[in-house]
């Protein structure tokens, strides 16, 4: 059984808003700015778990995919997206993404994001794995996320009407007597009235809380990515989808565990990323002997979709009995490496690896959750008044495997659509000043012992990571169930951020394992050793998960309309 709400003190302070946006990555910041544009008189509150710039967006190196070149088109971008999604993309959602994406990117540039430019002043575009066109816009060579976040935060801070609460861990959704979203409870590490547990009431709540990579031992996600939004949504009764599809980035910088850098990486739970754009420029994966890893594995070789590359790397590593391979970028030359990838170069050199002269040690790491809180084309979840965008959401655009650099684009596009929908919802306008008289927070509270976090991470990595089987998933589920039984551990759990995060981690991990055990096939980023092939006859659809009234997981499947891929001309 999983908790239907978190054990926490009663709120000691409150705020009222028209809309509360939870999360300050590209999705949350874009949602806030569009809400201010669409509803200039509204009270918009932005809540973020740490500082404004502490989310995943700042770590995005590759860029944003959009059909901006004369020889490109949204139709070509759509085709590549559908191919990468291995038959599970929601074609309508993917079409929204590619059709509206170019305008959102130009809007971001007009806001002040300094993207890299060609000699003629046009956007400098490159390729990444799975793309058949040059359509990746980037900034600072390999610092796109950092620049995008800088521009968005500057715009938010320039608007005095936007109230920001930092260092606030969201706990649970507030529901009114009709089951509508009515705000959220938070725990703020602040001062005065905003210290400790409080409540924000609002008729519209937007989740933009990012991913859940911290359930695995090796991840490119920052330490704040503990699945808080998905866990909150489950406890509120929302449907989540596609949780089994976790994309492992093929090329995280591998650091020896015994080294000081490796120890530091393990402590903060985040592995440095070596952008796929480096392979887009011509770097290749090799083993210790210098032999190419991807030759013959896929027609696109080193530019194959990420699931193909990570799977091939895992196979080679297992066959060689090694824990890493190498990315050889030396052929690019010193000038290209240092100009195009200054952040990666500096990070590698800081741990004693010079990519100009030495192949970079790399290994797959949990990178992006294609699944999340189920939404429609306007970001609406199955709980009225609750919206979701960015990595926490499952819009359906990614299917079984996200196409490179579609993630930042998804945040831009669907955050703007959420703002437009809230602005056009006359019912929300009528409710704007209403505070729920008797909010319902759910039934059954419980917390998991944070001392068991290392055990959860180990079990998930061993049994539900890159390669899975019925046996490994059953073993993982057993460990997760034991972690939640305080009668077995004898632990006394104190309510607070460590216990709340741990409970969220166990919730999303348990839901992921259940979905992965249900899908008896290999597709995209879900790899079953005991069901090695995709099975369109039985699994051309989504695995839907929700939490029952007593905390039991309820799983269902939903067929999807087959997608028709038109090859790029």
């Amino acid at each position: 059984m999983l908790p239907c709400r978190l054990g926490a003190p009663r709120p000691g302070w409150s705020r009222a808003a028209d809309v509360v946006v939870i999360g300050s990555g590209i999705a949350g910041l874009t949602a806030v700015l569009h809400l201010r544009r669409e509803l200039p008189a509204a009270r918009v509150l932005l809540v973020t778990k740490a500082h404004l710039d502490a989310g995943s967006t700042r770590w995005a190196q590759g860029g944003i995919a959009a059909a901006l070149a004369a020889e490109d088109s949204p139709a070509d971008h759509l085709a590549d997206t559908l191919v990468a999604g291995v038959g599970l993309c929601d074609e309508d959602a993917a079409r929204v993404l590619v059709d509206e994406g170019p305008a959102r990117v130009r809007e971001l540039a007009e806001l002040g994001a300094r993207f890299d430019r060609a000699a003629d002043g046009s956007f400098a575009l490159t390729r990444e794995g799975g793309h058949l066109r040059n359509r990746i816009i980037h900034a600072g060579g390999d610092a796109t996320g950092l620049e995008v976040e800088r521009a968005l935060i500057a715009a938010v801070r320039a608007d005095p009407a936007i109230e920001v609460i930092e260092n606030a861990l969201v706990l649970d959704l507030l529901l009114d007597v009709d089951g509508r979203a009515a705000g959220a409870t938070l725990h703020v590490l602040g001062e005065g009235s905003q210290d400790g547990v409080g409540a924000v009431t609002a008729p519209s709540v937007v989740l933009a809380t990012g991913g859940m990579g911290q359930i695995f031992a090796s991840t490119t996600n920052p330490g704040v990515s503990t699945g808080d939004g998905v866990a909150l949504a489950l406890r509120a009764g929302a449907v989540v989808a596609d949780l089994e599809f976790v994309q492992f980035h093929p090329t995280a910088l591998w650091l020896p565990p015994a080294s000081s850098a490796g120890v530091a990486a393990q402590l903060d739970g985040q592995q440095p990323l070596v952008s796929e754009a480096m392979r887009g420029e011509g770097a290749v994966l090799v083993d210790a002997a210098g032999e190419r890893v991807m030759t013959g594995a896929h027609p696109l070789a080193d530019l194959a979709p990420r699931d193909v590359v990570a799977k091939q790397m895992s196979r080679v590593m297992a066959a060689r009995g090694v824990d890493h391979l190498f990315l050889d970028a030396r052929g690019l030359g010193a000038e290209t490496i240092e100009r195009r990838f200054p952040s990666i170069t500096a990070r590698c050199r800081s741990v004693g690896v010079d990519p100009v002269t030495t192949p970079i040690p790399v290994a797959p790491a949990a990178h992006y959750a294609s699944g999340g809180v189920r939404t429609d084309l306007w970001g609406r979840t199955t709980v009225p008044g609750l919206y979701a965008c960015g990595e926490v959401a499952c819009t359906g655009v990614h299917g079984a495997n996200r196409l490179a650099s579609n993630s930042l684009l998804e945040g831009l596009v669907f955050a703007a659509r959420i703002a437009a929908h809230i602005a056009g919802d006359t019912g929300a306008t009528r409710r704007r000043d209403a505070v729920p008289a008797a909010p319902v927070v759910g039934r059954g509270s419980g917390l998991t012992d944070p001392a068991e976090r290392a055990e959860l991470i180990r079990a998930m990595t061993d049994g539900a990571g890159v390669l899975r089987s019925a046996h490994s998933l059953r073993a993982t589920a057993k460990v997760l169930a034991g972690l939640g039984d305080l009668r077995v551990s004898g632990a006394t759990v104190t309510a607070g951020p460590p216990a709340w995060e741990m409970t969220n981690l166990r919730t999303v991990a348990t839901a992921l394992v259940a979905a992965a055990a249900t899908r008896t096939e290999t597709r995209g980023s879900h790899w079953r050793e005991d069901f090695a092939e995709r099975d369109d006859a039985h699994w051309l659809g989504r695995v839907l998960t929700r939490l029952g009234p007593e905390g039991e997981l309820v799983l269902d499947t939903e067929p999807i309309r087959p997608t028709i891929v038109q090859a790029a001309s």
Side-chain angles (χ1 to χ4, degrees), residues 44-48 52 156-157 162-166 194:
V44 179
L45 177 64
L46 175 61
V47 175
T48 187
L52 274 178
V156 166
R157 285 179 169 157
I162 299 173
E163 182 181 357
V164 177
I165 299 180
E166 296 182 293
Q194 288 187 3

Side-chain angles (χ1 to χ4, degrees), residues 340-368:
R340 181 70 178 81
F341 306 105
S343 301
I344 294 172
T345 301
R347 185 68 180 89
C348 288
R349 286 173 175 168
S350 73
V351 296
V353 177
D354 187 346
V356 172
T357 60
T358 308
I360 305 168
V362 294
H367 183 56
Y368 190 86

Side-chain angles (χ1 to χ4, degrees), residues 152-389:
L152 290 171
I153 288 175
V156 166
R157 285 179 169 157
D159 186 343
I162 299 173
E163 182 181 357
V164 177
I165 299 180
E166 296 182 293
N167 301 307
L169 171 62
V170 64
L171 301 180
D172 277 307
L173 190 71
L174 292 171
L175 300 172
D176 67 17
V177 293
D178 297 319
R180 288 191 55 89
T185 53
L186 316 168
H187 180 267
V188 181
L189 299 174
E191 297 178 355
S193 63
Q194 288 187 3
D195 190 22
V197 174
V200 173
T201 58
S204 299
V205 178
V206 181
L207 291 179
T209 52
M212 52 186 180
Q214 291 296 319
I215 59 175
F216 295 104
S218 181
T219 178
T220 63
N221 288 191
V224 295
S225 298
T226 52
D228 306 325
V230 170
L232 172 149
L234 280 168
R235 290 192 296 269
V239 172
V240 303
D242 294 349
L243 286 187
E244 66 272 30
F245 297 116
V246 177
Q247 188 178 71
F248 281 74
H249 198 289
T251 52
L253 177 63
W254 180 84
L255 301 170
S259 70
S260 59
V263 171
Q266 289 177 345
L267 288 175
D268 67 18
Q270 182 179 17
Q271 301 294 116
L273 180 66
V274 180
S275 172
E276 189 167 24
M278 188 168 269
R279 280 179 286 135
E281 296 289 346
V284 296
L285 286 160
V286 299
D287 61 16
E291 294 294 320
R292 295 277 298 271
V293 169
M294 292 304 300
T295 300
H298 190 275
L300 292 176
D302 292 271
L303 288 177
R306 287 175 175 174
D307 66 302
V308 176
V309 178
K311 187 185 300 183
Q312 176 66 3
M313 289 177 67
S314 297
R315 287 170 174 163
V316 171
M317 289 161 60
R320 305 281 199 277
V322 298
D323 51 12
H324 68 284
L325 296 170
F326 298 89
L327 184 66
D328 192 348
R330 292 176 295 179
L332 278 61
E335 191 277 332
T336 296
I337 291 174
E338 293 177 347
R339 171 185 54 80
R340 181 70 178 81
F341 306 105
S343 301
I344 294 172
T345 301
R347 185 68 180 89
C348 288
R349 286 173 175 168
S350 73
V351 296
V353 177
D354 187 346
V356 172
T357 60
T358 308
I360 305 168
V362 294
H367 183 56
Y368 190 86
S370 293
V373 186
R374 179 73 182 278
T375 71
D376 66 6
L377 297 182
W378 296 97
R380 293 179 294 186
T381 74
T382 55
V383 175
L386 178 65
Y387 299 78
C389 55

Side-chain angles (χ1 to χ4, degrees), residues 81-174:
T81 298
L82 298 182
V83 168
V86 202
L88 289 193
C89 293
D90 182 318
E91 188 169 350
D92 291 337
R95 196 176 301 279
V96 165
L97 180 81
V98 300
D99 285 348
E100 298 183 11
R104 297 285 81 79
V105 170
R106 294 188 181 98
E107 181 181 82
L108 195 53
E110 292 169 1
L111 190 68
R114 299 185 290 260
F115 293 112
D116 295 341
R117 302 277 180 166
D120 63 0
S122 62
F123 292 123
L125 302 173
T126 189
R127 284 179 63 196
E128 291 184 356
H131 292 272
L132 298 183
R133 296 279 187 266
N134 283 7
R135 65 169 65 96
I136 312 301
I137 183 173
H138 47 84
D142 59 355
T144 307
L146 193 62
E147 172 57 20
V148 166
E149 195 163 66
R150 181 206 63 78
L152 290 171
I153 288 175
V156 166
R157 285 179 169 157
D159 186 343
I162 299 173
E163 182 181 357
V164 177
I165 299 180
E166 296 182 293
N167 301 307
L169 171 62
V170 64
L171 301 180
D172 277 307
L173 190 71
L174 292 171

Side-chain angles (χ1 to χ4, degrees), residues 450-524:
E452 305 283 11
R453 184 164 174 171
E455 179 66 11
L456 179 147
I457 291 170
R458 182 202 61 75
M460 288 298 295
T461 301
D462 291 346
V466 175
L467 295 174
R468 305 161 178 172
S469 68
H471 174 74
S472 74
L473 291 166
R474 278 196 301 269
T476 303
K478 184 177 180 180
V479 171
L480 295 174
L483 296 180
D485 191 345
L486 299 182
R487 296 170 300 178
V488 174
S489 66
T492 300
V493 181
T494 301
W500 293 324
E501 281 193 333
M502 177 61 188
T503 305
N504 287 339
L505 287 167
R506 177 175 168 259
T507 297
V508 296
T510 301
L512 186 156
V513 168
T518 299
R519 184 176 290 277
T520 53
E521 66 160 354
T522 287
R523 184 185 296 269

Side-chain angles (χ1 to χ4, degrees), residues 424-447:
D425 183 356
T426 56
T429 301
R430 289 194 301 268
R431 292 187 302 271
R432 193 158 291 145
D433 293 321
V435 176
V440 178
V441 296
R443 295 176 296 278
S445 62
L447 296 173

